[in-house]
Amino acid sequence: MKKVVRKTPVPRMINPEGGFNVVRKGISNSHWGDLYHWLLSLAWPQFIALVSLGYLVINALFALAYLAGGNGIENARPGSFLDAFFFSVQTMASIGYGAMFPKTTYAHVLVTIESLIGLMGLAVGTGLMFARFSLPKARVTFSRVAVIAPYNGLPTLMFRVANERQNWILEAQIRVTVVRNEITAEGDFMRRFYDVQLLRSQTPLFALTWTVMHSIDENSPLYGVTPEDMIEEEMEVVVTLTGLDETVSQIIHARHSFIAGEIFWNMRFVDILSKTREGRRTIDYSRFHDVIPIE
């Protein structure tokens, strides 16, 4: 088979980690209109950094406000930003060590305002943390490559899926869609989506591995397609998996895609199932992504 080399990067709609790889234009990219969703979708390091920065900034602003009112904090060094900052931290967190306390009406008003902001901030922060921890996350691994190989006399698209957790995914369902570029009879460019029929698209119990297969017959959108066609038409095989996580009793989902360079022809996956001397079945996940040529 002739190897086709593409010099430019191959565009893909779904990134390998499942993210959406599309640039949106003509709409607002501001996060303020959907702040809650944005805070939930942030990565944990970014979320922790944002919360920490906000906490420090708010306390610094209140420290400056305390200093602007003169010597309004008892036992604080006059003009000391650090003393005012740590007094703000004690006030916002309702610690109340007692060494420093407000002694003027101005300081008492600021303490009242800061206490209210601290209570609201604690409620919002606690809710966000709980919401982020309670979001159902799927730990599902897709094989890094897919293969097209004969199966029961027909060329068949195959890839693997594995559940990384030590539990069951109930009523798991997989959908596979082929995305390709097309030119209509009127000369219009379209990015078309074609659902493909799988030999088995659902399983009542998904705990270990699953080899997903699609027979390429006359009804398949891949019928008659060559590796060169896949590259030319920028084909992408988009996979979505949904199921019920038995531990949290919530729906989980995962997605992945394969582009032309990740679909190997006339190859097959290495067998990862075996038995121990005692007769117990074993799975070797270290070879989950390995393929070999068809003999």
Side-chain angles (χ1 to χ4, degrees):
M1 182 183 68
K2 181 180 179 181
K3 185 176 180 180
V4 180
V5 179
R6 188 185 182 99
K7 296 181 179 179
T8 58
V10 178
R12 65 193 309 157
M13 187 175 66
I14 304 296
N15 289 322
E17 70 279 3
F20 201 42
N21 186 32
V22 175
V23 178
R24 300 173 183 265
K25 294 184 178 181
I27 61 173
S28 174
N29 292 320
S30 174
H31 301 297
W32 297 108
D34 201 0
L35 185 60
Y36 178 72
H37 183 272
W38 179 66
L39 290 173
L40 290 182
S41 61
L42 278 178
W44 273 108
Q46 295 175 323
F47 178 76
I48 297 298
L50 181 64
V51 171
S52 301
L53 178 62
Y55 183 78
L56 294 175
V57 168
I58 291 175
N59 280 288
L61 292 176
F62 271 103
L64 295 175
Y66 286 120
L67 292 178
N71 188 22
I73 305 174
E74 188 69 35
N75 298 326
R77 292 170 294 181
S80 173
F81 174 80
L82 284 180
D83 284 358
F85 178 83
F86 291 129
F87 175 73
S88 174
V89 170
Q90 295 172 25
T91 302
M92 182 170 290
S94 301
I95 297 175
Y97 288 125
M100 292 187 291
F101 54 88
K103 64 179 182 179
T104 65
T105 302
Y106 174 82
H108 277 290
V109 171
L110 279 182
V111 166
T112 303
I113 296 173
E114 185 173 9
S115 297
L116 179 61
I117 292 177
L119 287 174
M120 292 190 298
L122 178 63
V124 172
T126 302
L128 284 172
M129 291 291 289
F130 176 78
R132 290 178 62 90
F133 271 110
S134 61
L135 281 176
K137 298 288 187 180
R139 291 194 59 188
V140 174
T141 297
F142 295 87
S143 56
R144 287 191 288 265
V145 299
V147 299
I148 294 180
Y151 179 79
N152 287 339
L154 287 176
T156 303
L157 172 70
M158 292 179 277
F159 59 88
R160 282 173 171 169
V161 188
N163 181 16
E164 296 182 8
R165 289 197 175 107
Q166 301 295 321
N167 71 343
W168 298 92
I169 297 177
L170 308 178
E171 301 300 332
Q173 300 183 32
I174 279 186
R175 292 191 62 181
V176 177
T177 304
V178 172
V179 188
R180 64 195 299 179
N181 296 339
E182 287 188 4
I183 303 296
T184 66
E186 294 75 20
D188 297 325
F189 171 83
M190 295 188 67
R191 188 76 171 151
R192 292 290 301 273
F193 287 70
Y194 292 93
D195 293 332
V196 301
Q197 187 70 31
L198 302 178
L199 295 183
R200 183 164 62 96
S201 61
Q202 58 185 3
T203 178
L205 298 173
F206 177 36
L208 302 175
T209 65
W210 183 357
T211 300
V212 182
M213 295 183 287
H214 161 64
S215 296
I216 305 176
D217 54 18
E218 293 83 355
N219 299 318
S220 170
L222 296 176
Y223 184 71
V225 171
T226 66
E228 292 80 4
D229 294 333
M230 284 189 167
I231 294 178
E232 182 66 27
E233 299 176 10
E234 297 179 354
M235 284 192 180
E236 184 172 356
V237 178
V238 178
V239 184
T240 58
L241 181 146
T242 59
L244 180 67
D245 189 296
E246 68 161 354
T247 303
V248 297
S249 297
Q250 295 188 62
I251 298 295
I252 58 174
H253 59 87
R255 55 187 176 268
H256 190 74
S257 75
F258 301 96
I259 57 177
E262 298 166 346
I263 301 176
F264 293 169
W265 295 65
N266 298 319
M267 307 280 280
R268 68 175 182 86
F269 284 104
V270 172
D271 189 7
I272 58 176
L273 297 175
S274 61
K275 287 186 178 181
T276 63
R277 294 180 178 178
E278 295 79 17
R280 299 184 60 186
R281 296 186 182 276
T282 62
I283 299 179
D284 184 6
Y285 286 100
S286 65
R287 307 199 68 186
F288 180 78
H289 306 280
D290 294 349
V291 296
I292 57 176
I294 296 177
E295 297 179 357

